[in-house]
Amino acid sequence: MKDKLTATRVDWRTQLVDATPMAPGGFRSLNTPVERGSTTLFDSAAQVRDVWDPAVAAYTYGLYGTPTTYELAERIARLEGAKQTFITPGGQAAIALVYLSLCRPGDHVLVPESAYGPNRAMAQGILSRLGVSVDMYDPMIGAGIVDMLKPETLLVWCESPGSITMEVQDVAAIVAAVHRHGAYVALDNTYAAGVLYDAFSHGVDVSIQALTKYVGGHSDVLLGSVSVCDETLRGRIGDTRAQLGMAVSPDECSLALRGLQTLGVRLDALGRTSTRVAEWLAARPEIEQVLHPALSGSPGHAFWKRDFNGAASVFSIVFKPSYPREAILAFVDALKLFRIGYSWGGVTSLAVPCFDMNRQYRDYDSRIVRLNVGLESPDDLIDDLSQALDVLS
Ligand SMILES: *Cc1c(COP(=O)(O)O)cnc(C)c1O
């Protein structure tokens, strides 16, 4: 390949900065290459423009997208059946992008009490400073959401199953009521990895994921996605993302693209293991309840059976009231294979005590521990839980 520079004789210093390819062409890998770039080159001065929208001009500035980031976006869009997916620096950034794209002062927003903590924090923090009012609702409310809608309600969040307390929502019933009202429904679809629950066929307007969890799949990437079908929403989210300057690194996206290739086998294994471990725990005398969507006593189990194609890796256990918080902390400390830490969806099993949540609708005070199973042998995980439970007696 020849360009302006190599055609002329130049000083070696000038030669050094020129990155025109010298390697032979024609290399074809099975995997998506990492293409980095803030500046993207135009062929002529007349073509110079600043456009975020790939439907108008694919590449005008690296902030808006590179071949690697668009590859990931397109693959998530195809899996979710969306018109366009925007990749964000994390799942929380995806949530923030939805709020900032849609809400104006005076609007009202409804958030399930079981929503991811930082989602609630943003609703009650930044949004309330911007003049948006927020109410929390019972995630099991279903069609009863109609009683909480106000004339100024613009957006209703769903998260199914909910964080920590794992309530599976009747999203279709909520969508029907909210759409009759003329408002939007956004779903945090992280648990389903965009594949175990079909958000758009259930009428959801915006589906977000923390790709950090199952798509990344190895606890070493932070990324999120916002997916939409509606053209007006696509424009507003695209404009807002560009104005916020929410860029993602192609290196992170390439890790997520690699994660996608094994997502199928990982989810199958994680779902099998989590269900088996959850059923074993449900039969233990120390445990009052196991909050796992595939278990019949779990809140919203019937909706999970109706709407989901499988279970994922994360669930919670509630100890009987006779166990004080110190005993439950000792149980978590006694675990060997389950490491102690936030997040989930990787290959390693994790445990975190989730005390003092102060929930109005379903509160388990200081008796709840969230577990995430990884890809270890289920027998070893059960042995580990068994020896840690023995610490309690
Ligand atoms: C982890 C998580 C997020 C946030 O994702 P980050 O990438 O950590 O910002 C959002 N929603 C749910 C349900 C999550 O579990």
Side-chain angles (χ1 to χ4, degrees):
M1 195 193 285
K2 284 242 173 359
D3 79 349
K4 287 181 189 171
L5 223 101
T6 47
T8 53
R9 282 180 70 82
V10 293
D11 183 87
W12 61 270
R13 290 175 187 78
T14 309
Q15 255 187 55
L16 288 176
V17 300
D18 175 24
T20 305
M22 293 191 175
F27 176 73
R28 291 161 69 217
S29 164
L30 280 170
N31 299 304
T32 308
V34 177
E35 296 200 60
R36 299 191 189 87
S38 49
T39 297
T40 69
L41 297 177
F42 299 95
D43 283 337
S44 69
Q47 284 177 10
V48 171
R49 56 189 169 157
D50 181 16
V51 178
W52 67 261
D53 189 350
V56 178
Y59 302 109
T60 65
Y61 188 47
L63 185 81
Y64 307 139
T66 64
T68 319
T69 63
Y70 281 137
E71 189 68 35
L72 177 62
E74 277 302 313
R75 283 172 190 278
I76 301 291
R78 197 195 301 177
L79 278 173
E80 293 208 39
K83 177 160 187 204
Q84 187 165 339
T85 293
F86 298 93
I87 305 296
T88 60
Q92 178 61 13
I95 290 166
L97 178 58
V98 173
Y99 277 128
L100 295 174
S101 298
L102 302 186
C103 297
R104 298 151 304 187
D107 285 337
H108 173 245
V109 169
L110 286 167
V111 179
E113 190 187 52
S114 54
Y116 178 64
N119 179 339
R120 294 173 43 164
M122 176 156 185
Q124 291 164 332
I126 293 176
L127 281 191
S128 73
R129 269 200 278 120
L130 296 177
V132 177
S133 66
V134 179
D135 283 312
M136 297 292 152
Y137 71 89
D138 178 352
M140 299 313 293
I141 201 167
I145 194 88
V146 70
D147 298 328
M148 299 201 69
L149 296 169
K150 298 178 178 183
E152 59 274 22
T153 305
L154 172 95
L155 173 66
V156 177
W157 274 97
C158 291
E159 183 181 317
S160 179
S163 284
I164 302 163
T165 44
M166 304 302 294
E167 297 91 341
V168 181
Q169 296 194 266
D170 189 350
V171 173
I174 291 173
V175 164
V178 172
H179 281 178
R180 269 197 302 279
H181 192 77
Y184 294 116
V185 176
L187 172 70
D188 187 329
N189 205 17
T190 299
Y191 176 91
V195 292
L196 299 179
Y197 178 82
D198 186 345
F200 292 111
S201 81
H202 288 89
V204 162
D205 301 291
V206 183
S207 167
I208 76 103
Q209 280 191 68
L211 303 178
T212 304
K213 307 289 165 48
Y214 292 118
V215 173
H218 295 75
S219 313
D220 57 1
V221 183
L222 287 154
L223 281 176
S225 62
V226 178
S227 300
V228 288
C229 288
D230 176 81
E231 183 56 31
T232 307
L233 289 175
R234 192 185 82 85
R236 281 169 71 176
I237 292 168
D239 285 342
T240 306
R241 179 173 175 272
Q243 286 169 30
L244 290 169
M246 259 194 197
V248 293
S249 148
D251 296 275
E252 306 288 280
C253 291
S254 100
L255 290 172
L257 283 161
R258 168 177 296 206
L260 275 179
Q261 291 179 310
T262 57
L263 179 63
V265 287
R266 285 188 287 110
L267 277 180
D268 288 346
L270 294 173
R272 263 196 316 273
T273 302
S274 79
T275 306
R276 175 151 167 236
V277 171
E279 280 167 349
W280 181 86
L281 282 162
R284 288 288 307 207
E286 301 88 348
I287 304 297
E288 180 179 86
Q289 199 181 355
V290 178
L291 305 171
H292 183 298
L295 268 58
S296 58
S298 200
H301 167 70
F303 302 127
W304 176 81
K305 248 174 107 171
R306 185 189 70 187
D307 298 339
F308 280 68
N309 307 314
S313 64
V314 68
F315 64 97
S316 297
I317 50 178
V318 182
F319 283 85
K320 288 189 174 153
S322 51
Y323 295 98
R325 67 160 66 201
E326 302 73 42
I328 295 168
L329 293 176
F331 159 78
V332 172
D333 286 335
L335 291 165
K336 296 189 173 89
L337 289 178
F338 284 82
R339 315 296 291 275
I340 304 168
Y342 281 120
S343 202
W344 38 272
V347 302
T348 311
S349 291
L350 296 170
V352 264
C354 301
F355 296 169
D356 306 315
M357 291 191 297
N358 296 315
R359 296 212 176 162
Q360 186 187 336
Y361 298 104
R362 249 158 257 93
D363 194 55
Y364 304 97
D365 47 75
S366 298
R367 298 186 287 122
I368 187 163
V369 173
R370 184 178 70 188
L371 298 176
N372 169 68
V373 302
L375 294 177
E376 303 92 341
S377 146
D379 292 329
D380 288 343
L381 294 178
I382 287 171
D383 286 348
D384 192 30
L385 291 162
S386 178
Q387 63 81 25
L389 286 171
D390 289 344
V391 169
L392 297 181
S393 52

